[in-house]
Every structure is written in structure tokens, then in C-alpha cells.
Amino acid sequence: MSMQYFGSCPAGEVHELTISNGRGLEAKVLSLGATLRSLLVTDESGRRRDVVLGYDSAEEYFFGEAYFGATVGRFCNRIAAPGFELDGKCFVLPPNEGKNQLHGGPFGFSRQIWTPLPAGEDRAVFRLISPDGDMGFPGNLMVQVTYRLTEESLVIEYEAETDAPTVLNLTNHSYFNLSGHESGSVGGHRLKLTADFFTPTDEQMIPTGEIRPVSGSVLDLRTEKTVGELISAPELKTTQGLDHNFVLSGSDAVPAAWLKAPDGTLSAEVYTDRPAIQVYTAGFLGNVPGKNGAVYADHQGICLETQGFPDAVHHPNFPSPVLRAGEVWRSRTEYRFRGASRVRRRKAVMIRI
Ligand code: GLA
């Protein structure tokens, strides 16, 4: 792991850590928001590409609205106004999307400076102490995020502890483009999800509380579809494609999501122990200046945000987001990258056996 100064922003000085698996997988991660800024993946033809969207400066990360690559918390996705009640106490949350709170509030974890901890070549570890009352949430919270590279995966592990009852929902908000971050729309990518249900929302994107089967709808992604089909689906017009929370029906041994590049040279499988995944096809990016002079248009990336259910604080039928003193909150998500020919070769070996 090597570390260098990246820049400064109103949150403070930002450093960038570079980690590598020594075989072509390399990631750059910022102390601001414990943010994944780049992820270099080598396909089977030897072509190296950066498969996540990002910015070039600390200010853009701090002021930007896209949450590129960020660790989002304390509570990713939405909590309906004015806040929530826990053990008979009311907690009012500062809003940042209309009257509701999105992605942990105006200065959530993605806009705070995390402390890098000593770690090996293949990993970066960050710690954040979030004080009682931070963005309205109770309890002093210690949270740690580890980015680790294995032979073909990026693994993100989370750990958190509190000294008083609180709620927690962490995710990583990377926008993937398996053709490379600078290469236009992800419309030609193919997507498959292990999800039998989704959580419908109202016009403010707040879950209604219903857990509805995907079968018979455009959201049935149990057989793969192109992202382009979803972007142009009339039923998904208000969200300009997907911005939906899917309930995962597999286990952490089955990919929650598969994404394939249009030319078939690279695929990503997402494994997680979280109960849900928000899939966002970036319908509202709107020509954001990105890394190395790239300009990101709508639909130039896809977010595969593994998480608990949005607004779970208001829906007793959703998995509980409560964390209590003495408990350790742990979670793991793995993004496994494969060149298509490697997948074919494995199948061939299996057939010979
Ligand atoms: C999430 C939300 C989207 C949008 C993006 C960030 O995916 O669900 O509505 O807020 O984050 O721009």
C-alpha cells in the first residue's frame, strides 16, 4: 500500500492510497469518504481498464452530488422525514433530499475524512469515529472499512460498534462501467439479479412498505436483460431506468448480481451478505466532468449498492437496521472480475472431468 497527498477540501486534507494484488488488479482509495477512486482490471486479452467513475479533485468529491465510489452512511438510501424513533426516543435528521434524508445527510460519511490504518500491499483500511448526534444519529459509532484485493476480486468489509442504540446501513456507491469509465453509456451491458422481490416506493422514492414480486414486471432480472432495455422501458420513465431496491433471494455464495461488458471480455459478479441491492443506472448524471478529462453522460455507469432496506426504520416488516452497544456490525461484499474466456475455459475443464 502506498499513500500520497491528493488534495484538500472543506473537510480537510485528503490522501490517496494505492493497493495492488501484484497481478494486474489495482485500486486507488481516498481518505475522503473512504472512496474507491479507480479500479484497474486486466481482461484476458491483456487490456487494462479503469472500471469505476470518479473525479480528479478533492473539491469535486466533497461538493459533488453523485457519491462516486463513496462509502455511504450512517444510513445509505433514504429515511423519510422527520427522522425516526428508537426505544421511545425521537431523532430528527437533517434533510438533504426535499424534506427527507438521503445517503446519511448533507455531511454524511462520504464527506468526512477517514483515518487510514497500517495495512499490507493488497489492502487499505480506514476508520471513522462518528460522534453521538452526527447527522442526527444517536450513539458514538466506530466504523472501519477494509478494501482488499484477492486474485480476481475487490472485497469490501465493514465493521462497526456503538456505545448506544443506533441504526446503520452502509454501502459502497461505485458506478461501474466494464468497458472503462470513459467509454459512454452502459446500455450495452447485460445485467442479471438474484432477486424475487423489490420494495416499491412513493413519488419521493420512499418505500411504501410493500415487498412485491418482480415476476411479470420489467424488474424481473432473474434472466438477464440489457441495461439499455431497462433505460428505455416506459414503466421506468420516472427513474430513467433503474433506481430500485431489490430483495436478494440467494445466499452469499450465489452472485447477487452479474454484469457483463457488451464485448464479452469482462464480467463482474457481486457477492454479499446484505439482504438487498439498490441498482441505479445513473439516469441523472447529466454530463459531469470526470477523471482524466472524461465527461460522464446519463447512464455512463451502474451502481450495484448492496445494503439493508431503505427507510427500514419505519417498516417493522423490513430487516431491522438497529445496532446496539456490545454488538459488532459486520458485512462483506465482493466484486469478482472475470475475463469471458476464463469463464469459458473453466466450463470446458468441468465438461472434460
Ligand atoms: C442512489 C439513489 C439515487 C441517487 C444516487 C446518487 O443510488 O437511489 O436516487 O441519489 O444515489 O446521485
Side-chain angles (χ1 to χ4, degrees):
M1 185 261 283
S2 67
M3 183 162 99
Q4 63 180 57
Y5 175 74
F6 179 71
S8 73
C9 69
E13 286 198 350
V14 181
H15 290 85
E16 182 173 74
L17 280 63
T18 303
I19 59 173
S20 154
N21 72 348
R23 303 165 184 219
L25 199 55
E26 185 192 283
K28 289 188 187 294
V29 199
L30 299 177
S31 57
L32 175 64
T35 296
L36 179 66
R37 193 173 95 83
S38 85
L39 183 61
L40 291 176
V41 178
T42 310
D43 72 16
E44 292 270 308
S45 69
R47 196 188 139 216
R48 219 165 180 217
R49 56 190 95 164
D50 182 354
V51 295
V52 293
L53 275 55
Y55 297 115
D56 272 337
S57 74
E59 287 87 354
E60 287 166 301
Y61 276 102
F62 185 82
F63 291 109
E65 296 283 324
Y67 298 87
F68 286 146
T71 298
V72 179
R74 291 190 191 189
F75 206 98
C76 64
N77 216 316
R78 293 163 178 88
I79 294 181
F84 63 98
E85 193 186 315
L86 182 58
D87 295 347
K89 291 186 193 151
C90 289
F91 300 97
V92 174
L93 302 179
N96 59 333
E97 189 183 60
K99 56 188 174 52
N100 305 316
Q101 191 180 85
L102 171 70
H103 294 330
F107 300 102
F109 290 177
S110 55
R111 294 192 174 92
Q112 299 188 27
I113 304 285
W114 295 56
T115 307
L117 302 182
E121 278 306 300
D122 59 351
R123 66 195 64 194
V125 184
F126 296 96
R127 179 173 291 173
L128 183 74
I129 307 292
S130 169
D132 179 38
D134 190 13
M135 290 289 107
F137 293 95
N140 291 295
L141 188 83
M142 191 282 292
V143 49
Q144 200 165 294
V145 176
T146 302
Y147 287 89
R148 192 161 56 83
L149 297 175
T150 65
E151 193 191 336
E152 50 189 7
S153 298
L154 167 67
V155 180
I156 308 180
E157 285 155 333
Y158 305 87
E159 205 175 294
E161 287 179 72
T162 180
D163 64 357
T166 192
V167 294
L168 192 64
N169 195 5
L170 301 173
T171 193
N172 181 277
H173 207 298
S174 289
Y175 291 65
F176 293 96
N177 187 324
L178 297 182
S179 303
H181 76 101
E182 71 289 24
S183 49
S185 167
V186 292
H189 283 49
R190 304 188 78 81
L191 176 69
K192 189 175 161 191
L193 300 176
T194 305
D196 298 336
F197 296 89
F198 75 108
T199 54
T201 55
D202 64 15
E203 66 292 341
Q204 292 177 54
M205 299 281 291
I206 300 292
T208 59
E210 189 191 352
I211 299 175
R212 190 187 293 174
V214 293
S215 61
S217 81
V218 68
L219 298 177
D220 190 347
L221 290 160
R222 293 171 297 183
T223 47
E224 65 178 30
K225 288 194 168 84
T226 64
V227 174
E229 284 173 66
L230 298 162
I231 291 170
S232 58
E235 303 92 313
L236 303 177
K237 201 165 188 303
T238 49
T239 42
Q240 311 240 26
L242 289 180
D243 193 1
H244 292 71
N245 176 60
F246 291 87
V247 179
L248 295 171
S249 34
S251 71
D252 57 3
V254 176
W258 288 262
L259 187 66
K260 288 179 199 150
D263 64 0
T265 54
L266 193 65
S267 71
E269 291 167 7
V270 182
Y271 296 83
T272 188
D273 53 18
R274 303 305 291 141
I277 189 167
Q278 179 89 7
V279 183
Y280 174 51
T281 52
F284 305 97
L285 264 183
N287 299 323
V288 186
K291 289 182 286 191
N292 307 322
V295 176
Y296 303 138
D298 289 346
H299 311 297
Q300 190 146 341
I302 176 168
C303 302
L304 301 166
E305 304 161 49
T306 59
Q307 58 189 257
F309 291 23
D311 200 35
V313 291
H314 293 123
H315 303 284
N317 59 326
F318 287 1
S320 169
V322 176
L323 177 70
R324 296 185 181 279
E327 296 173 347
V328 181
W329 194 94
R330 282 199 183 88
S331 169
R332 177 183 190 277
T333 292
E334 174 177 349
Y335 302 90
R336 191 177 295 171
F337 297 92
R338 287 187 176 153
S341 58
R342 166 173 274 190
V343 176
R344 277 201 297 276
R345 203 167 59 222
R346 278 195 183 155
K347 277 194 189 140
V349 169
M350 280 169 67
I351 288 160
R352 268 211 302 281
I353 288 165

